[in-house]
Amino acid sequence: MTTPAPPGAPIRVLIADDQDMVRTGFRFFLDAQPDITVVAEAADGEEAVALARRVRPDVCLLDIRMPKLDGLEATRLLAGPEVADPMRVVVVTTFDLDEYVYGALRGGACGFLLKDSGPTLLAEAVRAAAAGDSLVSPSVTVRLLKHVTAAPEPTAPRRAAPLPEPLTDRELDVVRLVALGRTNAEIAAELYVSLSTVKTHLSSIQLKLNARNRVEIAAWAWQSGQVRPGS
């Protein structure tokens, strides 16, 4: 895994998008952040992979639909399970499609944002990725999980298999908030705990659930009835 930037050093970001205006907008906003700097831009997937391997940014922001090599394949080449030194990739796209979300996360992405999520969430996703965390657009998390974990019979909710080691009450609180698309900072604020405490809970939860990422944690929450429509 790419070594995190030293404390105080700006987070180095690569932006890959085939639209000049998108790259310009992202660069303008991210460069205005005191802790983030854009170090490279690419207009297609092949260029993005080559630049990323050469520059080794802390975070790569990749669009999905790009010429020569799409963002999902570029993500796999930079962050996939077969990569010896994977980078931190956040997929940023206009297309809110289930297969894109799963493709990005299976490919090793640690974040998935819609372009209309806003600049604040974009910066949060960069910071989360650089810190080794993940962020998925709340609207994507909630919509996707309600769809894919919906019980075939509305009156008969699914029952998840018993866990080898049950979650604590506090871990269940964290799981429910993850399922509602909350970021680590939002979970910390709602539970009146520190950010490091939230991260500790998430690490324990992932081990107990054998979950690879936040989406799998959230999926378990919906499947097991910890969260219900309208929550």
Side-chain angles (χ1 to χ4, degrees):
M1 180 66 74
T2 299
T3 303
I11 301 167
R12 301 165 64 254
V13 176
L14 175 146
I15 300 171
D17 195 291
D18 62 342
Q19 297 184 48
D20 290 343
M21 289 185 64
V22 172
R23 296 198 309 274
T24 299
F26 283 2
R27 175 186 280 274
F28 178 81
F29 176 75
L30 293 175
D31 273 344
Q33 306 302 304
D35 58 337
I36 300 173
T37 184
V38 177
V39 295
E41 292 184 26
D44 63 67
E46 284 186 0
E47 184 183 17
V49 171
L51 268 175
R53 286 172 173 170
R54 184 167 74 249
V55 177
R56 299 297 301 183
D58 300 308
V59 179
C60 301
L61 296 177
L62 304 184
D63 187 21
I64 285 184
R65 295 189 178 180
M66 293 188 290
K68 299 184 180 178
L69 193 69
D70 68 34
L72 297 181
E73 180 62 14
T75 296
R76 188 186 66 78
L77 291 173
L78 294 175
E82 73 283 359
V83 178
D85 188 13
M87 299 187 197
R88 297 184 176 105
V89 173
V90 176
V91 171
V92 187
T93 181
T94 304
F95 304 99
D96 185 7
L97 300 176
D98 296 356
E99 59 265 32
Y100 284 170
V101 181
Y102 282 125
L105 295 173
R106 280 197 301 266
C110 59
F112 189 98
L113 291 182
L114 300 180
K115 287 181 180 176
D116 62 3
S117 296
T120 300
L121 202 60
L122 177 67
E124 285 187 24
V126 167
R127 294 184 182 109
D133 297 327
S134 62
L135 190 152
V136 177
S137 286
S139 60
V140 172
T141 301
V142 175
R143 177 197 56 76
L144 177 67
L145 291 169
K146 283 184 179 180
H147 171 67
V148 301
T149 65
E153 299 178 15
T155 57
R158 298 178 181 180
R159 294 182 61 85
L163 298 175
E165 184 179 356
L167 301 181
T168 66
D169 289 343
R170 183 54 94 187
E171 287 170 348
L172 286 172
D173 290 337
V174 172
V175 163
R176 294 181 189 109
L177 292 174
V178 168
L180 295 175
R182 303 292 197 272
T183 65
N184 285 1
E186 290 170 337
I187 293 171
E190 291 194 36
L191 298 181
Y192 301 101
V193 297
S194 68
L195 196 57
S196 61
T197 298
V198 173
K199 293 178 182 179
T200 298
H201 285 317
L202 285 171
S203 295
S204 175
I205 291 164
Q206 283 188 251
L207 284 173
K208 290 180 178 180
L209 298 183
N210 193 27
R212 293 172 296 176
N213 50 54
R214 295 170 80 92
V215 170
E216 291 189 359
I217 292 174
W220 179 87
W222 286 94
Q223 289 172 333
S224 63
Q226 297 296 328
V227 184
R228 300 185 182 281
S231 297

